[in-house]
Every structure is written in structure tokens, then in C-alpha cells.
Amino acid sequence: MTFKSLKISFLVIFTMSLAFIGSTAHADAAAKTPSWGHWESSKITYTYSGSSKYYQKIWKSAVKKWNKTGAVKLKAVKSQKKADIVLQTSASLSTQKGLFTGYTNYSFYNHQDEDAEIVSANSTLNRDLLTSFSYTKKQRTNVATHELGHALGLSHSKSRRSVMYASNRYESISHQDKVALEKAYAD
């Protein structure tokens, strides 16, 4: 396979800490979860690089949610060198734009006539911010699921009912999220 261009980009994608709930069902129903890219295969490896068993379980729950869609098969590996996606936590995630509960950065090939092909990703949760805003375990799992969605190639959704909504801690994977992932990984 020949690549016309190689672009490596580290993109900070965030989930803001507080969500405003409520919009019309019509607007949510019309909103589709966009995707920007995908891995070469739907079989993707990951590893957890932290020492916290609590956050390891959070990430494992997020992985199970995406595997349950049937669009991808995330498989744990022990070595970061063998992992496509590295899952981790940090005491703080801060940029010039503010504090974030989570972020994902990745590298990808930009093909001329297709979506980007993801070649590596790191997803991080901000332990201190999640704790200071009293996120429950379920809400932390939703943030982890959101960040993992970015690592799989999904963008922010305009639907407040989507796990991919930019500032959502209350929702899990929606039908539109599943459809977007299936479309991104269709052969």
C-alpha cells in the first residue's frame, strides 16, 4: 500500500467536566456521531499503563462497552510496544483552554481519498478532576468510553444522548455511536 502523505498529529480531544442535560428528542434523533478515521483492522490491541486497579477496571468496562457493539474487537496485551492504544490516568490534564476530565491523542496516516488510518493512540483520564467533581464510577466509565471512542476514530456528536457528546458524563454508547463505529470499520 502506498501512502501519498504521512501526517502525524497529536490532537487533544477533551471531555469537559460538567454536562448540561436536556434537548429536544428531535434534535438528538437527527444528530449523528461523526467519524474521522479507523484502524487498519477492527482487531485492535490495548494496554493499561497505570498502577491503579480501580482505574484499570474503569478502562476495562469501557473496552467491554465498545466490544459489545460488535464493530471492533479490543484485545488486552501486556506490552506497550505491542499495544495500539495505551490507556492511562494522570493527576492533571491542563492546557491553555482549561482543565479536562480526559483526552486522547493519536497518530494517523491521511490517505487522499479515504478516512484517516489511525496508527497509535493514548487515552488519559484526569483522576484529580474526576474526584473533585465527585464523578461516580459509572460516570468515570462513561468518560473513559468517550475517550476510547476517540481512539477508535469517532468525533464529537451534537447529541446529548451520545457518549461522544463533548461534555457528557451521564450517557453511554448510543445507537448512533454504534452505527458510526460500524460504518467506520465496514469492509
Side-chain angles (χ1 to χ4, degrees):
M1 183 183 296
T2 305
F3 300 110
K4 292 217 177 202
S5 66
L6 172 66
K7 286 186 181 177
I8 297 180
S9 173
F10 296 99
L11 178 62
V12 175
I13 310 245
F14 63 91
T15 305
M16 299 182 69
S17 60
L18 298 173
F20 170 79
I21 297 179
S23 67
T24 65
H26 178 67
D28 276 349
K32 294 189 176 166
T33 303
S35 67
W36 61 271
H38 55 82
W39 292 85
E40 183 177 22
S41 168
S42 62
K43 295 178 182 172
I44 305 157
T45 59
Y46 74 93
T47 192
Y48 172 68
S49 71
S51 59
S52 167
K53 296 292 183 189
Y54 177 78
Y55 278 100
Q56 184 176 26
K57 287 178 185 177
I58 297 286
W59 281 116
K60 196 174 221 180
S61 293
V63 165
K64 284 181 182 179
K65 288 177 183 290
W66 286 116
N67 278 344
K68 193 174 179 181
T69 68
V72 294
K73 177 63 180 156
L74 294 157
K75 181 182 176 198
V77 294
K78 293 187 182 206
S79 167
Q80 283 191 29
K81 290 181 182 180
K82 293 183 180 180
D84 297 316
I85 302 171
V86 177
L87 306 173
Q88 55 201 3
T89 64
S90 175
S92 177
L93 298 175
S94 180
T95 70
Q96 292 176 343
K97 293 183 180 181
L99 293 171
F100 305 113
T101 56
Y103 77 87
T104 297
N105 61 7
Y106 35 77
S107 299
F108 59 91
Y109 292 113
N110 191 16
H111 298 287
Q112 188 172 19
D113 295 326
E114 327 174 1
D115 287 340
E117 180 184 333
I118 308 165
V119 294
S120 70
N122 293 311
S123 294
T124 307
L125 296 177
N126 181 340
R127 294 184 312 266
D128 291 353
L129 196 59
L130 293 169
T131 300
S132 68
F133 283 97
S134 303
Y135 277 50
T136 65
K137 186 174 184 180
K138 182 178 179 180
Q139 292 169 343
R140 292 171 202 232
T141 300
N142 291 341
V143 174
T145 305
H146 174 98
E147 293 308 325
L148 194 49
H150 285 309
L152 295 173
L154 298 181
S155 299
H156 285 144
S157 172
K158 292 180 181 177
S159 171
R160 294 182 191 278
R161 295 182 178 168
S162 166
V163 76
M164 297 310 299
Y165 185 70
S167 60
N168 196 346
R169 65 175 167 178
Y170 301 105
E171 299 294 332
S172 190
I173 298 170
S174 71
H175 176 70
Q176 286 300 326
D177 300 328
K178 181 182 178 200
V179 168
L181 196 66
E182 288 170 344
K183 185 177 177 184
Y185 287 89
D187 290 327

